[in-house]
Amino acid sequence: MSRLHQSRIADFQEVLGEPTVALTKLRELCFSGIPFDGGLRCLCWKILLNYLPLEKALWSSLLKKQRDLYSQFLKEMIIQPGIAKANLGVSREDVTLEDHPLNPNPDSRWNTYFKDNEVLLQIDKDVRRLYPDMAFFQRPTDYPCLLILDPQNEFETLRRRVEQTTLKSQTVARNRSGVTNVSSPLKTTPSSLSEYEVLPNGCEAHWEVVERILFIYAKLNPGIAYVQGMNEIVGPLYYTFATDPNREWKEHAEADTFFCFTNLMAEIRDNFIKSLDDSQCGITYKMEKVYSTLKEKDVELYLKLQEQNIKPQFFAFRWLTLLLSQEFLLPDVIRIWDSLFADDKRFDFLLLVCCAMLTLIRDQLLEGDFTLNMRLLQDYPISDVHLILKKAKELQDSK
């Protein structure tokens, strides 16, 4: 381990060792990248995403409270409906006409159950494809959720619900940008889901944990529910927490990811809400901001893209909505997120990163025609994120 790396770790430990964490100092450190060692990144992300308060004395009671609350969500939203469904076959007496599964009344709990299944199928399709180039999400977790896997519980798990739901689910997410799918051409996916082995009973794969987090989020946030692409936001968070070197943190990766994801979505959810697309907080406004920033920094490149009629929604829609999680390999995405989460103006820096990505390939863009340039932007050619972040920082400092 280099001396520089050791001194960086020491800097982090010093800031995190204080009874009250100095947020400004912590942001500064995190902005330049957080070392993985000793679970530092997991801890810093939890603070930057407002899950852990700055007063360390409050941590253990808060974590206990939140993790208990998450168990409560599992009971109410997965286990109880699952038990009700399992019991249906056993005893018919308690099924009143009011609550019969075929009752068309929109308030019937079965109606909710079937609606939930449509959302669940969409989530299922998306989470099985998380980072197909990495084995991690297909592997079993060391900490399967015992509440869910308790053999005493005769209830329908999400896994079984998916297997049994033959409802043709309408695709929940219509293709919003009208040009490109949310997933990037880099991500190849197995042609059929049957290529994934279902793990034996008593085990669950990491993708199943992510599925549960997204299902609970959709239930608790009916206004937005689930939109394709959220799986790409929760993936890097869960991966980071589930690979924490500290056992006692790693064990609670599911609950902690859920709350950090919820907090992060509270900041970026407007990007996912179609009706807000054109408002000040919506995605169109942000995409245009990428171009107005580019115009300030590099007017020649800006005019070239304008002249070729390359609109920001052709590429920046995905870059911004998914916080660049589809453009780079997972370790690089995580490094970019260190800087994004540390940005006190919350995601202003993301606009500069997008600009940096454009200016770093300016020579190719200036020479290329429409087709060539679209290909460059939809399958971004530079993989060195340190170079990109350095350029974004230069743009920030040159204001």
Side-chain angles (χ1 to χ4, degrees), residues 304-337:
K304 172 78 178 182
L305 294 175
Q306 286 288 57
E307 172 201 322
Q308 290 189 345
N309 203 13
I310 293 180
K311 297 185 168 24
Q313 52 267 42
F314 295 171
F315 60 93
F317 176 80
R318 190 174 75 208
W319 292 5
L320 293 168
T321 307
L322 303 182
L323 307 181
L324 296 168
S325 63
Q326 286 273 287
E327 312 316 310
F328 303 100
L329 295 170
L330 187 59
D332 295 327
V333 171
I334 287 170
R335 169 62 194 92
I336 291 172
W337 284 16

Side-chain angles (χ1 to χ4, degrees), residues 66-83 141-158 160 202-204 209 212 216 251-252 254-255:
Q66 296 301 87
R67 289 161 180 174
D68 289 349
L69 177 61
Y70 186 73
S71 296
Q72 205 42 50
F73 291 156
L74 292 179
K75 285 179 193 151
E76 282 172 29
M77 288 167 223
I78 295 180
I79 296 176
Q80 283 163 4
I83 290 175
T141 164
D142 296 339
Y143 302 101
C145 178
L146 300 176
L147 257 182
I148 297 285
L149 297 177
D150 179 359
Q152 299 301 306
N153 271 346
E154 263 311 302
F155 78 95
E156 191 181 46
T157 56
L158 291 186
R160 209 168 316 150
C203 299
E204 47 180 9
V209 181
R212 209 162 37 231
I216 299 270
E251 198 176 333
H252 297 286
E254 180 176 349

Side-chain angles (χ1 to χ4, degrees), residues 166 216 264 372:
T166 46
I216 299 270
L264 178 55
L372 204 67

Side-chain angles (χ1 to χ4, degrees), residues 147-317:
L147 257 182
I148 297 285
L149 297 177
D150 179 359
Q152 299 301 306
N153 271 346
E154 263 311 302
F155 78 95
E156 191 181 46
T157 56
L158 291 186
R159 187 194 285 185
R160 209 168 316 150
R161 268 176 87 159
V162 170
E163 287 163 5
Q164 293 180 355
T165 301
T166 46
L167 286 171
K168 288 280 166 279
S169 78
Q170 292 82 15
T171 308
V172 176
R174 296 278 168 261
N175 191 343
R176 299 246 318 267
S177 61
V179 175
T180 166
N181 192 356
V182 182
S183 63
S184 120
L186 295 169
K187 318 276 178 185
T188 47
T189 54
S191 54
S192 78
L193 298 181
S194 60
E195 288 179 34
Y196 290 126
E197 288 177 29
V198 170
L199 296 172
N201 284 341
C203 299
E204 47 180 9
H206 288 293
W207 67 261
E208 294 187 83
V209 181
V210 175
E211 175 166 276
R212 209 162 37 231
I213 292 168
L214 286 166
F215 182 71
I216 299 270
Y217 179 81
K219 290 284 290 167
L220 286 170
N221 297 276
I224 180 169
Y226 172 76
V227 180
Q228 198 182 8
M230 288 181 183
N231 54 317
E232 305 291 350
I233 300 283
V234 82
L237 284 177
Y238 174 73
Y239 174 80
T240 300
F241 295 165
T243 53
D244 191 320
N246 299 344
R247 250 199 70 183
E248 65 277 22
W249 286 94
K250 189 173 169 176
E251 198 176 333
H252 297 286
E254 180 176 349
D256 293 349
T257 302
F258 171 80
F259 289 108
C260 287
F261 171 69
T262 300
N263 290 357
L264 178 55
M265 281 304 297
E267 299 186 38
I268 62 170
R269 59 179 282 169
D270 294 347
N271 296 345
F272 286 91
I273 299 176
K274 183 137 182 53
S275 59
L276 289 176
D277 276 2
D278 298 321
S279 69
Q280 283 272 293
C281 51
I283 187 73
T284 308
Y285 176 74
K286 291 182 186 125
M287 289 191 293
E288 278 161 6
K289 197 119 178 17
V290 171
Y291 266 21
S292 59
T293 312
L294 180 67
K295 190 178 177 182
E296 270 168 48
K297 308 287 182 190
D298 188 339
V299 73
E300 188 189 356
L301 180 56
Y302 166 77
L303 290 171
K304 172 78 178 182
L305 294 175
Q306 286 288 57
E307 172 201 322
Q308 290 189 345
N309 203 13
I310 293 180
K311 297 185 168 24
Q313 52 267 42
F314 295 171
F315 60 93
F317 176 80

